Amino acid sequence: MKIPTELFDSRKFGFAQVAVTSTPLGYAIHISGQVAWDSNGNIVGTGDIGRQLEKSLENLSVALASVGARLDDVGSLRIYIRQTHLHQGDTISRALKAVFGDNPPCTTWIGVTSLARDEFLIEIEPSVVFLPRTV
């Protein structure tokens, strides 16, 4: 279990931000769904789905970097979007393009009635990232 200092410490909620498991070929990196929380548990971008997605992607990047991975290593993202904000697809697309450019991961957009906090408009969950063993 890794606890990047730039992310909020989720252990009080009973889960890790990053977990690394060993496989015969290397390591499987598991990252919890990321939301627009800063390291102190404050919500960034209240009411602004674009800013919340930017912060969620920043948090994902930090979580990955804590174990030597990058956003480019993510093959797919599940994006949970409050149903009240599904109409803001253009804003979501712009934020994704700003981060991933011409090398985007696969995505699945899922409309949900709520997330962990009422203020959260979006949450991203990456696929497992695999890293080779280093000698």
Side-chain angles (χ1 to χ4, degrees), residues 114-132:
S114 64
L115 292 164
R117 298 265 309 263
D118 285 340
E119 299 90 348
F120 293 141
L121 304 177
I122 196 161
E123 180 171 345
I124 58 171
E125 181 183 20
S127 59
V128 174
V129 171
F130 294 96
L131 294 178

Side-chain angles (χ1 to χ4, degrees), residues 55-83:
K55 180 60 178 168
S56 299
L57 289 166
E58 289 170 21
N59 288 345
L60 176 56
S61 181
V62 166
L64 290 165
S66 75
V67 293
R70 303 177 326 237
L71 286 171
D72 286 347
D73 296 318
V74 174
S76 69
L77 286 175
R78 281 168 300 286
I79 304 175
Y80 301 95
I81 306 163
R82 290 272 302 268
Q83 287 177 341

Side-chain angles (χ1 to χ4, degrees), residues 36-38 41-47 52 55 117-120:
W37 249 340
D38 68 14
N42 300 310
I43 296 173
V44 174
T46 301
Q52 284 197 18
K55 180 60 178 168
R117 298 265 309 263
D118 285 340
E119 299 90 348
F120 293 141

Side-chain angles (χ1 to χ4, degrees), residues 3-18:
I3 306 168
T5 57
E6 301 90 347
L7 299 179
F8 76 98
D9 188 349
S10 59
R11 291 178 298 172
K12 68 181 179 181
F13 297 106
F15 67 93
Q17 291 289 347
V18 181

